[in-house]
Amino acid sequence: MNTVPQIIFPVAIPLIAAFLLPIAGRCHAGFGRIFGRAAVLVTFLASALLAWQVAGAGPASSAMGGFKAPLGIVFYADNLAMAFVLLLNIGVWLFWPSGDEDRSGPYTLLLTLLGGGAGLVLSGDLFNIFVFYEIVAVASYGLAASGGSAAGFGASLRYLLLSALGSSLALMGIALVYAAAGTLNLADLALLAPDVLRGPPGAAAFLLLLIGFGVKAELFPVNSWVPEIYASAPVRVTSLLAGIVSKLALIVILRFLVLVFPMPSAYGLLLTLGILGVLAGELAAYRARDLNSTFAWSSIAQLGVIAIAFSIPGPAGIAAGIALALHHAVVKPAFFFIADKWRGDVKLLSGGARTSPLVAALFVLLSLSIIGIPPLPGFWAKYLLLDAAFSSSPAYWLAAAVVLAGAVVEGAYLFRAAGFFYGGPQKGRGAALFMPGELVPAFVLGAVLLVAMFAIAPLGAYITSMAVQAADVPAIAAQILLGGN
Amino acid sequence: MSTGAVLYAGAIGLFLIGCYAMVAERHLIRNILGLVLVESGVNLLLVAVGFRENAAAPILKAGQSAGMMVDPLPQALVLTAIVIGFGVLALALALVVRVHQAYGTLDTREVARLMRVEREASGPGAAGPRAGAKS
Amino acid sequence: MKGYGHTAATLLFLTGLGILLIAILQALPFGLAPMQVGQAIVAAAPGDTGADNIVTAILLGYRGLDTLGEVTILFVAAAAAGMVLGGASRGGAQAENAGFILHSAAYLLFPFLLVLGAYIVLHGHLTPGGGFQGGAILAAAFFVPVLASPASPFNHRTAMLVEGFAGAAFIMIGLVSLVGSDAFLTPFFGKGEAGALFSAGSLPLLYLAIGLKVGSELAGLMARVSGAEAGA
């Protein structure tokens, strides 16, 4: 069994830096910013090293404090977890506040988010995952309010109330699991699940956990915060929350589903919420007249699509979900950056292509990919989903039909926006917008998308191997229970 | 009624009262108090899960072997959950202070309306000063 | 009328939820939970950690990472609240001083609270209590004087320094133990004699760091909120 104590570094390094950052920021104006960036870089290097080790030697684990598996907390890293830890690192680096402000607050929150998010996907203990989820949650309430506008404070407060209620429900779910099984270790639960969690208490516990973690994952009934927060938070925060943090929550839900609740009722629940999310999100996005809220609603729909993919039992569905999640993590932040430049009514885009041809081209590229036009990566992600759905039970055929219908609606509102870009009389607004510097992250993401298009085959193979690893319950349980000591 | 029924009823009762205060009340402070009630209910449930009849508190006395004890794990979890709840509560109150300063009211519908107004006012203009656009 | 409909719907929904929860809890017999891990911990804790208080053994030993997360949440909540309130007008100076009784009692209590807090922090591995409870009392020692005379300035700078270094110390202790063993946060030093003040290895050190961090965080947080309120 592969024991790697360095598995704690992606969590420990950013947290220690977050604790020290306010002091560093006080020593010298502007030093906090550099200190924070350096900490992210060090974390990224440590994570990359760990990911390389995991890719070479197989999944690794480490028992915190040296206490063996069911008693203590065990961290477990496979390729899936490491991919999302690296994604989070890159996201925090790319969306690091660009302003020349000396306030250390947002930097501290970002570093804590980085450490908490890494713990979220690496931890192999139900309650420990809850603790890291709360770290991420509290950091994101703070970041959502960091714009400093009154609407930002109000939106953050409403988000906090909803999310804290969700967390309490999740904690209740954890209490039910503990009452039924007497353990919190995911691997231990995976071995016990067929016996003790099959009945109504198990289904209730999964529903409660799904609602609790679904708040961050923008799942159907608990996503009312999304348009409000994305409209009032700084664009970099929006990109981070929509692009990456939501995926971390979905990965946690996937782990619960595969390891602890592998029963038809749980899969059906996630499928239902996913379908409802797609329907509600796409229709609301079509109705929205404001670019930012269009993307907020479509983000809900696309996370619904990922939930549908994860609800297909077996590695094929997981692979489709990972592909969709990675694709969305690249495309959506770029959309939000563009929306931030054209705040307000979609009609204000009118004639934008003449003054900012590069931005308009980027917008079209992103739109084509997210709708799923070959040969862009978005097509392959959706293809994986449809392939997995049609080789599964008939309930998933319906889901596939919903996803296809959603893509049509998506195409309708994105081409409507593109139509304004390329047609229509020029409004004054586009005049000063020729390739502004603030859109650099969007162009970086667009370039990533193009590169991915030429590397579809190796990417697809890698994602499939990741999914096979994540679906292999006996191997995961053995590594967590026997490894790490 | 047995101890168990009382504890479970208390936990569910606190949880439901809290939910009511969060959903139906229109005052932000009451919403937050509802959240506190919900958290207390869930914490009580968690402690109740570890309860054992006629068992000792999980602290060893000198020269005494470990006898029948209540489950210490939920107690540790609840300690953690209480501190988490406190942190969230403090942040919520800080946000309430700022919301009240900005809007002069804590009525949820009024705050939501004022937020919408502010967003609509700032929407099209937000990029204006930065982009230096004229229309 | 619409308001009543909303209330009635909420009540109806919550009643249903309550019935559902009761039905679920009935499937779980009270007092008979399996507690596999709990029982194993009770049996192994004295030998593994040397702490008499088994809840402490769990908090700092078996689930030390949860405790690190918990401290982090307090920290990030305090940082976020500080950022949110940063722009609020500070009106501490205009607030009235408290009366003579509260004023003198606050300063009389200060040393006692300090000693009590320190005692509870340092005995966390032996008796009920520990870093969080003791830290809260330490915070009260510094915050009660602020309540008594709002005009007196609270030293945020010192609080921030203590907070940062105590938090870093917790993780450093964890990383140091990585050198000796092969896992984060492994207790080191000897386990010592059960029941003695200097026992249970590095656990009391962790509690000391938590006590200092929680104390400075709570005091700073409350001073900030009360300062902003006085200004509002």
Side-chain angles (χ1 to χ4, degrees):
Chain A
M1 289 294 144
N2 193 8
T3 302
V4 179
Q6 294 89 319
I7 198 170
I8 193 66
F9 285 167
V11 179
I13 296 171
L15 289 189
I16 205 168
F19 290 153
L20 293 176
L21 192 133
I23 299 172
R26 196 60 81 86
C27 289
H28 179 71
F31 184 55
R33 202 174 124 73
I34 301 164
F35 181 83
R37 280 235 149 179
V40 179
L41 189 63
V42 173
T43 315
F44 175 75
L45 292 177
S47 309
L49 199 64
L50 184 63
W52 188 66
Q53 256 173 307
V54 167
S61 65
S62 173
M64 298 298 135
F67 297 105
K68 289 186 183 179
L71 300 197
I73 294 168
V74 178
F75 264 35
Y76 170 78
D78 56 4
N79 287 330
L80 173 64
M82 288 322 297
F84 280 86
V85 169
L86 286 178
L87 186 69
L88 178 66
N89 268 291
I90 295 168
V92 170
W93 176 267
L94 199 58
F95 306 137
W96 196 259
S98 64
D100 42 17
E101 47 189 329
D102 290 327
R103 296 186 307 156
S104 59
Y107 306 138
T108 311
L109 296 180
L110 271 172
L111 284 177
T112 336
L113 183 79
L114 180 59
L120 191 61
V121 288
L122 289 174
S123 182
D125 182 280
L126 197 52
F127 189 78
N128 194 237
I129 289 177
F130 171 77
V131 171
F132 279 114
Y133 180 72
E134 284 293 291
I135 294 179
V136 171
V138 175
S140 41
Y141 310 147
L143 285 171
S146 67
S149 68
F153 294 133
S156 173
L157 181 61
R158 285 153 63 100
Y159 174 32
L160 182 149
L161 286 172
L162 179 71
S163 177
L165 180 62
S167 297
S168 294
L169 292 176
L171 190 57
M172 192 183 253
I174 292 172
L176 290 181
V177 169
Y178 188 77
T183 178
L184 293 166
N185 186 289
L186 290 187
D188 219 8
L189 286 169
L191 300 181
L192 289 169
D195 301 329
V196 296
L197 288 172
R198 204 158 261 288
F206 181 70
L207 178 61
L208 290 169
L209 286 168
L210 192 58
I211 294 175
F213 287 82
V215 176
K216 279 271 158 331
E218 305 177 11
L219 279 188
F220 169 64
V222 280
N223 50 22
S224 60
W225 58 274
V226 172
E228 258 179 36
I229 289 285
Y230 292 179
S232 56
V235 60
R236 281 155 198 270
V237 173
T238 302
S239 301
L240 201 59
L241 290 182
I244 294 164
V245 174
S246 57
K247 312 298 184 308
L248 301 182
L250 268 175
I251 294 295
V252 169
I253 290 174
L254 172 71
R255 291 261 197 243
F256 290 163
L257 193 62
V258 170
L259 291 173
V260 188
F261 304 98
M263 45 196 187
S265 58
Y267 282 108
L269 214 51
L270 187 60
L271 175 68
T272 315
L273 293 189
I275 290 179
L276 290 173
V278 174
L279 291 175
E282 296 292 15
L283 292 179
Y286 185 78
R287 281 191 52 205
R289 283 287 171 264
D290 161 85
L291 206 52
N292 195 301
S293 52
T294 304
F295 289 135
W297 286 112
S298 79
S299 165
I300 287 174
Q302 279 132 14
L303 282 155
V305 175
I306 302 174
I308 291 175
F310 282 154
S311 75
I312 302 171
I318 299 177
I322 297 171
L324 287 163
L326 291 175
H327 175 252
H328 187 245
V330 171
V331 170
K332 198 82 244 192
F335 268 133
F336 275 116
F337 272 90
I338 295 177
D340 187 55
K341 291 308 294 179
W342 276 274
R343 263 173 191 269
D345 197 293
V346 65
K347 291 197 183 80
L348 291 168
L349 289 175
S350 195
R354 245 163 287 161
T355 49
S356 333
L358 275 175
V359 182
L362 179 67
F363 183 86
V364 172
L365 174 75
L366 297 170
S367 303
L368 291 178
S369 188
I370 206 142
I371 296 163
I373 307 291
L376 288 161
F379 164 75
W380 296 104
K382 276 204 176 144
Y383 172 77
L384 282 178
L385 168 66
L386 296 180
D387 191 35
F390 281 120
S391 49
S392 193
S393 66
Y396 294 99
W397 302 353
L398 172 72
V402 170
V403 170
L404 285 175
V408 172
V409 179
E410 222 162 41
Y413 61 74
L414 286 174
F415 283 128
R416 186 176 63 198
F420 279 114
F421 251 126
Y422 282 97
Q426 185 180 331
K427 295 261 168 86
R429 195 87 103 76
L433 283 173
F434 192 89
M435 174 95 194
E438 289 138 84
L439 281 179
V440 167
F443 281 101
V444 170
L445 292 169
V448 169
L449 194 69
L450 282 180
V451 171
M453 185 171 86
F454 293 106
I456 285 297
L459 266 179
Y462 187 60
I463 286 172
T464 308
S465 76
M466 237 188 243
V468 170
Q469 212 172 49
D472 189 357
V473 178
I476 296 174
Q479 173 67 38
I480 292 181
L481 288 175
L482 303 176
N485 48 67
Chain B
M1 278 220 291
S2 69
T3 329
V6 173
L7 281 177
Y8 281 161
I12 293 177
L14 277 174
F15 173 76
L16 291 178
I17 295 170
C19 280
Y20 178 82
M22 285 192 79
V23 176
E25 289 289 346
R26 289 180 51 184
H27 194 274
L28 278 172
I29 294 284
R30 290 190 190 189
N31 290 160
I32 291 176
L33 288 178
L35 178 63
V36 174
L37 284 179
V38 167
E39 281 169 356
S40 313
V42 174
N43 288 342
L44 183 58
L45 179 72
L46 202 48
V47 175
V49 162
F51 181 79
R52 283 297 164 107
E53 209 74 55
N54 300 323
I59 295 180
L60 295 171
K61 310 258 165 45
Q64 190 186 322
S65 67
M68 181 69 170
M69 286 183 179
V70 297
D71 194 342
L73 193 66
Q75 300 200 357
L77 302 187
V78 163
L79 257 171
T80 308
I82 289 173
V83 175
I84 293 174
F86 174 82
V88 173
L89 176 64
L91 181 55
L93 289 176
L95 286 168
V96 163
V97 168
R98 292 308 302 267
V99 167
H100 188 258
Q101 274 178 354
Y103 296 132
T105 174
L106 288 175
D107 183 287
T108 47
R109 285 178 213 186
E110 191 61 17
V111 167
R113 189 182 65 79
L114 288 168
M115 271 167 61
R116 218 167 21 246
V117 169
E118 184 182 327
R119 262 207 307 277
E120 267 153 26
S122 78
R130 237 186 309 157
K134 54 185 175 16
S135 48
Chain C
M1 287 311 280
K2 205 181 161 200
Y4 287 115
H6 181 70
T7 310
T10 310
L11 280 175
L12 203 67
F13 172 73
L14 290 177
T15 316
L17 190 64
I19 292 170
L20 213 69
L21 283 173
I22 290 170
I24 289 162
L25 288 179
Q26 250 161 15
L28 303 167
F30 179 75
L32 295 169
M35 76 181 263
Q36 317 186 14
V37 171
Q39 205 65 264
I41 284 180
V42 168
D48 275 356
T49 62
D52 287 351
N53 184 345
I54 294 177
V55 175
T56 297
I58 295 176
L59 278 177
L60 297 181
Y62 297 101
R63 309 190 68 87
L65 203 65
D66 276 354
T67 305
L68 173 60
E70 178 182 0
V71 172
T72 308
I73 289 174
L74 263 191
F75 168 78
V76 67
M83 189 186 73
V84 166
L85 294 175
S89 56
R90 285 285 159 66
Q94 297 121 344
E96 252 180 75
N97 274 3
F100 171 75
I101 296 178
L102 181 56
H103 203 261
S104 12
Y107 286 95
L108 266 179
L109 270 177
F110 180 74
F112 293 105
L113 284 175
L114 219 54
V115 171
L116 180 65
Y119 175 87
I120 290 182
V121 169
L122 292 176
H123 285 71
H125 56 301
L126 304 174
T127 55
F132 290 99
Q133 296 86 334
I137 295 174
L138 286 180
F142 289 95
F143 180 62
V144 167
V146 176
L147 273 188
S149 53
S152 73
F154 180 84
N155 195 340
H156 281 288
R157 199 186 151 75
T158 316
M160 185 191 76
L161 283 174
V162 174
E163 185 182 336
F165 283 122
F170 189 112
I171 301 185
M172 283 317 290
I173 292 172
L175 290 177
V176 164
S177 68
L178 205 59
V179 177
S181 69
D182 60 354
F184 184 68
L185 275 177
T186 307
F188 51 93
F189 296 145
K191 286 177 191 101
E193 191 187 327
L197 180 57
F198 292 103
S199 63
S202 54
L203 298 197
L205 278 183
L206 290 180
Y207 251 170
L208 185 62
I210 294 173
L212 288 175
K213 189 167 173 59
V214 169
S216 53
E217 242 149 39
L218 291 190
L221 193 58
M222 289 190 286
R224 239 186 252 284
V225 172
S226 76
E229 271 211 317

